[in-house]
């Protein structure tokens, strides 16, 4: 992990799109219409002041097949997409889960979900807020004394949740600018406090709350907050509060285990000489609290259903996930803010989605839905490069799930 790789992660991971694409060698294999996963509990309708959304168009299955079948733009080794919701269901795959065996992708194959982890962390933080154990307007320095440099202005829990903290870029970690360097450092072990220690004493990027910049370090601090408030590892808290109650048996926080156990999709990295290195085994501690989890499309669809249906949060806290900062708060490039407390938003073909994208070396994914759940989309794909070309696949899938 390096200052340059951290910045790249923020740029690539923040390219919000309503979907993700995956690829490999092979022909797209459509699994056809399949029933979506059942919620663990009967959904309670979420109170919301949002106006009714217009109907989404019927599913365009040929467009979906074509979107996941293109494994060359960019180069992918596998892809899968699950579409569900009241407006229709479909599941399809392309490519292979394992290049050595040629095994096709299956619905229960797990994969690294990257920054979708942040939605789980945000949900737990907002649950704790609803229980009165922390106020979202409370400065994180009060909750985690001595962790950030003493000269920093107060940064609230909400400003961490919606990426308006203004923290300076981390500095002083290994350079991961080449695939060979990534391979050399794939088993590096980081503690969360070592990650926070990469934050220099200043200057701040901007006054907290004045602008928005997507940053993983915000969620490292939030996961540490969960541990401070509960006295337990944040992964155990996520499991107790979300995974077990919803029956998400294929979702986990790996901790210090670099492997993915059970049937899974392999990730690959293109080396300088053009060969593909299996990069599946990878210590995820550099993404502790913000990008380390493993799941399936079915589990993520169940989580999204429960979250949007009001099973996990009371109305006030759930509304925070759909509330962007004030209009005057803009991204650093001047575009409108697009991150709320745990979710990001994008409008594609006139349809507004809320959710989260994620990426790690060899993996890219997205979990999004319209707020009324007419359409939910979970996608995962396996790019061989971790760069801005991934957006091509994401946008292609996003277009396919939203156009007539």
């Amino acid at each position: 992990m390096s200052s340059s790789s951290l910045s790249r992660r923020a740029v690539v991971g923040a390219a919000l799109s309503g979907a993700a694409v995956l690829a490999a060698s092979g022909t797209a294999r459509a699994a056809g219409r399949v029933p979506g996963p059942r919620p663990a509990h009967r959904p309670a309708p979420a109170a919301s002041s949002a106006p009714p959304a217009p109907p989404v168009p019927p599913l365009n299955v040929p467009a979906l097949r074509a979107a996941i079948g293109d494994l060359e733009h960019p180069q992918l080794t596998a892809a899968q997409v699950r579409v569900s919701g009241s407006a229709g269901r479909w599941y399809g795959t392309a490519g292979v889960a394992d290049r050595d065996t040629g095994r096709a992708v299956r619905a229960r194959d797990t994969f690294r979900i990257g920054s979708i982890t942040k939605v789980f962390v945000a949900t737990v933080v907002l649950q704790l807020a609803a229980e009165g154990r922390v106020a979202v307007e409370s400065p994180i320095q009060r909750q985690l004394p001595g962790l950030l440099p003493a000269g920093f202005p107060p940064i609230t829990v909400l400003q961490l949740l919606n990426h308006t903290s203004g923290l300076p870029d981390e500095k002083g970690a290994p350079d991961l600018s080449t695939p060979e360097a990534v391979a050399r450092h794939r088993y590096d072990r980081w503690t969360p406090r070592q990650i926070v220690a990469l934050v220099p004493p200043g200057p701040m990027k901007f006054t907290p709350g004045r602008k928005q910049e997507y940053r993983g370090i915000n969620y490292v601090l939030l996961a540490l907050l969960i541990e401070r408030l509960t006295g337990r590892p944040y992964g155990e808290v996520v499991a107790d509060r979300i995974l077990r109650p919803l029956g998400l048996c294929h979702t986990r926080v790996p901790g210090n285990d670099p492997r993915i156990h059970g049937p899974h999709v392999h990730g690959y990295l293109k080396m300088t000489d053009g060969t593909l290195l299996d990069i599946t085994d990878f210590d995820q501690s550099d993404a502790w609290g913000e990008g380390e989890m493993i799941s399936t499309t079915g589990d993520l669809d169940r989580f999204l259903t429960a979250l949007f249906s009001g099973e996990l949060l009371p109305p006030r806290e759930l509304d925070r996930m759909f509330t962007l900062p004030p209009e005057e708060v803009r991204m650093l490039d001047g575009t409108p803010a697009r991150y709320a407390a745990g979710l990001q938003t994008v409008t594609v073909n006139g349809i507004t989605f809320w959710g989260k994208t994620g990426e790690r070396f060899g993996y890219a994914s997205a979990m999004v839905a319209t707020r009324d759940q007419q359409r939910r989309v979970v996608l995962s794909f396996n790019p061989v490069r971790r760069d801005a070309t991934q957006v091509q696949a994401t946008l292609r899938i996003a277009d396919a799930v939203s156009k007539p």
Side-chain angles (χ1 to χ4, degrees):
M1 183 172 61
S2 68
S3 56
S4 60
S5 67
L6 287 164
S7 300
R8 184 173 66 252
R9 180 197 306 176
V11 171
V12 176
L16 176 54
S17 44
V21 119
L22 322 64
S25 53
T27 306
R29 178 178 61 85
R33 293 169 65 91
V34 295
R38 299 175 185 171
H41 311 91
R42 183 169 59 185
S48 170
S49 57
V56 301
L59 283 176
N60 187 331
V61 173
L64 283 165
R65 288 195 179 106
I68 65 171
D70 183 352
L71 303 180
E72 298 300 327
H73 306 94
Q75 184 181 355
L76 309 173
T77 56
Q80 59 179 312
V81 61
R82 179 182 296 273
V83 185
S84 57
S86 61
R89 300 174 184 272
W90 186 83
Y91 175 80
T93 74
V96 293
D98 185 338
R99 296 181 73 245
D100 288 341
T101 66
R103 182 177 69 80
V105 179
R106 297 179 296 213
R108 290 195 175 184
D109 285 345
T110 57
F111 52 87
R112 299 196 187 279
I113 66 173
S115 288
I116 294 175
T117 301
K118 293 180 176 68
V119 187
F120 290 86
V121 171
T123 300
V124 171
V125 170
L126 290 171
Q127 286 177 341
L128 295 169
E131 295 163 10
R133 299 173 72 173
V134 67
V136 297
E137 297 299 341
S138 171
I140 193 65
Q141 290 96 325
R142 183 183 304 166
Q143 304 295 332
L144 301 173
L147 191 60
L148 290 175
F152 282 6
I155 300 168
T156 69
V157 171
L158 181 59
Q159 288 164 349
L160 296 173
L161 284 165
N162 67 12
H163 298 287
T164 58
S165 67
L167 287 168
D169 289 336
E170 300 94 313
K171 295 182 179 179
D175 180 11
L176 301 184
S177 59
T178 67
E180 288 74 21
V182 172
R184 283 196 304 272
H185 289 284
R186 64 193 292 191
Y187 296 113
D188 286 1
R189 179 67 48 81
W190 290 82
T191 68
R193 290 182 179 271
Q194 285 175 326
I195 297 171
V196 176
L198 295 175
V199 177
M204 298 289 286
K205 283 282 199 71
F206 51 84
T207 301
R210 296 289 181 85
K211 295 182 181 180
Q212 190 171 75
E213 182 189 29
Y214 181 79
R215 297 287 304 284
I217 190 66
N218 294 328
Y219 277 73
V220 176
L221 293 167
L222 289 169
L224 285 168
L225 172 64
I226 291 172
E227 297 196 345
R228 169 75 172 81
L229 295 174
T230 65
R232 302 174 59 208
Y234 96 92
E236 291 184 7
V237 181
V238 167
D240 283 351
R241 287 175 170 262
I242 301 175
L243 306 187
R244 279 190 282 273
L246 295 181
L248 307 184
C249 57
H250 302 293
T251 303
R252 67 187 186 93
V253 180
N256 291 332
D257 189 347
R259 300 179 59 196
I260 304 179
H261 298 275
H264 58 276
V265 180
H266 289 241
Y268 298 89
L269 185 64
K270 193 165 193 174
M271 308 306 285
T272 302
D273 64 5
T275 59
L276 295 184
L277 172 69
D278 190 324
I279 202 76
T280 307
D281 290 357
F282 203 120
D283 190 305
Q284 299 296 303
S285 59
D286 73 320
W288 186 92
E290 58 105 354
E292 63 178 313
M293 289 179 67
I294 295 164
S295 191
T296 64
T297 61
D299 271 13
L300 291 179
D301 182 63
R302 183 174 297 191
F303 171 53
L304 197 60
T305 302
L307 181 62
F308 281 37
S309 298
E311 290 187 59
L312 297 174
L313 291 170
R316 180 185 176 189
E317 278 67 35
L318 182 58
D319 277 346
R320 292 188 189 278
M321 288 192 136
F322 298 95
T323 303
L324 295 172
E327 189 174 351
E328 64 270 17
V329 176
R330 316 283 283 187
M331 302 296 293
L332 289 186
D333 63 3
T335 58
R338 55 183 179 266
Y339 298 93
L343 298 179
Q344 51 190 134
T345 186
V346 65
T347 299
V348 184
N349 294 325
I351 300 174
T352 297
F353 292 97
W354 291 86
K356 191 71 191 72
T357 56
E359 49 97 21
R360 298 295 292 158
F361 288 106
Y363 297 87
S365 54
M367 173 189 77
V368 299
T370 57
R371 188 166 183 184
D372 61 6
Q373 298 190 68
Q374 290 186 65
R375 180 143 298 157
R376 296 189 303 271
V377 182
V378 181
L379 58 94
S380 171
F381 60 95
N382 300 82
V384 300
R385 297 182 185 277
R386 188 178 177 186
D387 57 27
T389 63
Q390 296 173 203
V391 176
Q392 298 176 52
T394 301
L395 294 179
R396 185 169 63 244
I397 295 175
D399 183 61
V401 298
S402 58
K403 72 181 181 182

